[in-house]
Structures are given as C-alpha cells and as structure tokens.
Amino acid sequence: MKAFEIANRDIAFNYIFILKNEKAVAFAYTQIVTIGIKTITKNIKMSAKIKKMVNNMFCKNQLKVLFCGNIFLSGEYGTFLKEGEDKVLTFKAIASAVKKLYKSTRLHAIFIKDFEDESLYITDHLKSFDYTAMQVEPNMIIHLKPEWKSFEDYTDVLKSKYRVKANRADAKSEALDTKFFTEEDIEHHKDELQSLYQNTIDNADFNAQVLNLDTYIYLKNTYQDNFIVKGYFLNGTLIGFLSAMKNGTNLDAHFIGIDYTKNKAYAIYPRILNDYVRIGIETKSGQINLGRTASEIKSTLGAHPKSLTCYFKHKHYLPNQILKPFIKNVKIKSFKQHQPFK
C-alpha cells in the first residue's frame, strides 16, 4: 500500500484497524478518488431521459467517492479479518469505522469492493447500513495442473482449435523481442509504459482511477522477483507490456499496456495472455487471476468466472434512495464461456 500511496498523490489513503483488548483483529484500507458522474451512468441500464436527470442531479459535477478495497485490483483486497474471530462482528465493526470516516469527510458516495460469493454471508450485513449490492464483472481464473511443467504441456491438453489459436498468437508475435524488466528498466521506460497503459484505459468501459506507474518502480524495489513486468519490443520500440504479482501460491495479473495500431498484426494481447500462462507455470502457481474484462477471450485459455459483488451508498439519504433502483439495475456483460480443454 505504501507503493500505491507514495506514487499516487492525488488519492487520499486511510487505514482502519479494529482492536479487541488492544490487539488488531481486523484491518481495511480506503482511498478517496474523484470520478465523473457520466463514467458511472454510462454503465447503468436506464433510459436516456432518466440518465440525463441523474447527470443533472449532480450538476454534471464529479463525484468524490470513498472506496474500501483496492481500486487498482479486482478481488478481495483491502479487508482482512483475523482467523478465529467472529467474522460478522468484526466486519460490522469495519462498516461502522467506514461510516465514521465518511461522516467526517467531504464526499458524495461510498463503494465497498469486491467480494466473492463465499463472503456474502458476512458482507451482506452492509445492507443494514443502507448499502445496495451490485454485481460487477467477474474475475477470470485459470486453474493450473501441477503436471504442467511447460507451456507445451498446457497446450497439449487443449482441444485442437484452441491449441491452434494459442500457437497462432505465438507465431504472429514471433517478431517481437521480449524482456523482463528490472527496477531500472521500469524507470527508464516509465513514460512509454504509462502511455501504453493509458491506451488500455481508453478502451475500457469503466475505470475509477488511472494508476501512476511510478507505483511499479516501488513495487519492483520491494517485491523483486515476485513482482513481474515484461516488455514487448518491435524494432527496439516498446509496444506492449504485462505486469503480475506472485501472491502466495497464485499469480495475479495486474495492468497491461498495448499499442493497438500494432495489436492485430503482431497479436500482442493474445501473446500477453499466453505469457501469463507461461509465467504461472514457471512460478509453480496453483491458479492465475486474469482479472476482469475481455472475459470471453480469457475463457478460450481455460479461465472460468468467479463472481464478485460490490456495495454502493450515497452519503445523503434522499439521493441514496433515488439511486438504489438504478444501482440494482446494473447489468454485467454476458459472454460465451468456452471449454477449451479436451
């Protein structure tokens, strides 16, 4: 969190500790960011007339939102409950602490993210604090078999058309030179990395905040080989990158960046997905969290969706009641789930 905080000065970070007999039994962290209202309403299913009304309700201003959880990662990051403690009781204590925080802060809304189905018996207690639950796009997870010692072992168990697809991505990207970045490499290519990352942000439906990639310099300095940045070069020019964190026995995909003018010719994105599988196998990971978005293409590699639920609340009672039906109406994109394994 220090890496995120010192590199992103426009975000206000706060940390919550829940104590019992003067010892910490729960922890949560929050970030306060500013988001344009149109960024939110464009992803909510409603008539153009109502959408205009909601936009006007906020005078087309930007919303100041308190996020509990990590706005830069999808999944259960940001809320920790000590083993052996009453999970519902300690989570309610976190919710009460968040309430104290937002009551003393000038902001519009609170967004608590992202919880897997197994956690909902705990987190649904947020509804008693007048939050509204909403489903968001799922994380796409690849479970790796311990007998896969190489990428070829993995492709051998794919059905023919998916194996051809994976091999075609490697063939089309063969002209690219690749390099695992050191801390010095990240610093040297920082502007190019930021520009490539911005390309993917511009193509996304929703992003609460743009990460300053100085964060990666600090992450690499701290986590060394457990934090991975890989660059893709064409004739000496950086045209793509991936990033990932070794998280216990798993591998978490972080942000990527792509020069979309070269993507089709050199299959940069499919190659990045292939390389996530390679890195997962090389690091002996049990699973790879490929994150949200592009769910269908990730399913062609064998990824399956893991549902995520978030909770939203406007700080003031009346706007919260008006917004509730719209929040409940948020629809996640449907996609075709492929079954690539034999």
Side-chain angles (χ1 to χ4, degrees), residues 188-216:
H188 177 72
H189 292 286
K190 194 259 174 179
D191 290 343
E192 298 154 88
L193 291 168
Q194 194 76 50
S195 177
L196 292 168
Y197 161 59
Q198 186 64 48
N199 290 345
T200 62
I201 293 294
D202 292 341
N203 273 315
D205 288 331
F206 178 83
N207 269 284
Q209 192 75 7
V210 176
L211 180 69
N212 184 322
L213 291 192
D214 281 345
T215 308
Y216 282 6

Side-chain angles (χ1 to χ4, degrees), residues 263-277:
N263 186 43
K264 190 172 182 181
Y266 296 98
I268 305 169
Y269 183 57
R271 170 63 183 277
I272 284 173
L273 292 179
N274 281 359
D275 283 354
Y276 273 127
V277 176

Side-chain angles (χ1 to χ4, degrees), residues 1-158:
M1 289 314 301
K2 185 177 180 182
F4 284 96
E5 184 173 349
I6 60 180
N8 299 273
R9 298 290 186 182
D10 53 339
I11 300 174
F13 288 78
N14 289 282
Y15 306 90
I16 294 168
F17 290 88
I18 305 301
L19 305 180
K20 178 182 175 183
N21 300 325
E22 299 185 357
K23 292 190 176 181
V25 294
F27 167 72
Y29 54 81
T30 69
Q31 303 105 75
I32 298 174
V33 301
T34 303
I35 310 173
I37 183 64
K38 287 185 177 178
T39 304
I40 298 170
T41 56
K42 76 175 184 178
N43 289 289
I44 300 176
K45 188 178 179 182
M46 61 177 84
S47 71
K49 186 177 179 181
I50 296 175
K51 189 173 289 190
K52 185 178 179 182
M53 183 189 77
V54 172
N55 288 341
N56 288 337
M57 184 191 303
F58 294 98
C59 304
K60 297 182 181 177
N61 282 335
Q62 299 200 317
L63 293 183
K64 206 168 185 180
V65 182
L66 185 149
F67 283 84
C68 186
N70 194 322
I71 56 171
F72 297 115
L73 300 173
S74 60
E76 290 192 348
Y77 303 98
T79 305
F80 302 90
L81 309 178
K82 186 178 178 182
E83 284 295 326
E85 296 294 333
D86 185 314
K87 292 186 183 297
V88 172
L89 192 66
T90 49
F91 190 78
K92 281 185 173 181
I94 288 174
S96 296
V98 170
K99 185 176 181 178
K100 284 182 185 177
L101 181 59
Y102 73 67
K103 279 190 173 294
S104 64
T105 310
R106 291 175 63 88
L107 50 81
H108 296 92
I110 306 92
F111 197 85
I112 301 182
K113 64 186 290 285
D114 298 303
F115 298 101
E116 298 171 2
D117 289 349
E118 295 86 345
S119 299
L120 297 187
Y121 80 96
I122 304 168
T123 60
D124 269 350
H125 287 276
L126 286 168
K127 293 174 183 176
S128 66
F129 289 80
D130 216 17
Y131 286 85
T132 305
M134 58 183 285
Q135 268 214 317
V136 293
E137 284 191 271
N139 272 339
M140 296 300 292
I141 310 292
I142 298 180
H143 294 277
L144 300 176
K145 304 279 189 186
E147 59 266 27
W148 297 344
K149 305 301 182 187
S150 67
F151 188 69
E152 289 68 31
D153 290 341
Y154 157 78
T155 56
D156 281 348
V157 298
L158 293 175

Side-chain angles (χ1 to χ4, degrees), residues 5 8 44 51 87 110 114 179 183 223 239 247 260 262 266-267 278 287 293-294 302 309 312 342:
E5 184 173 349
N8 299 273
I44 300 176
K51 189 173 289 190
K87 292 186 183 297
I110 306 92
D114 298 303
K179 181 181 182 180
E183 182 185 343
Y223 291 100
I239 62 168
N247 179 10
Y260 285 97
K262 307 285 194 304
Y266 296 98
R278 285 188 172 92
Q287 67 178 41
T293 73
T309 298
F312 175 87
K342 293 174 184 174

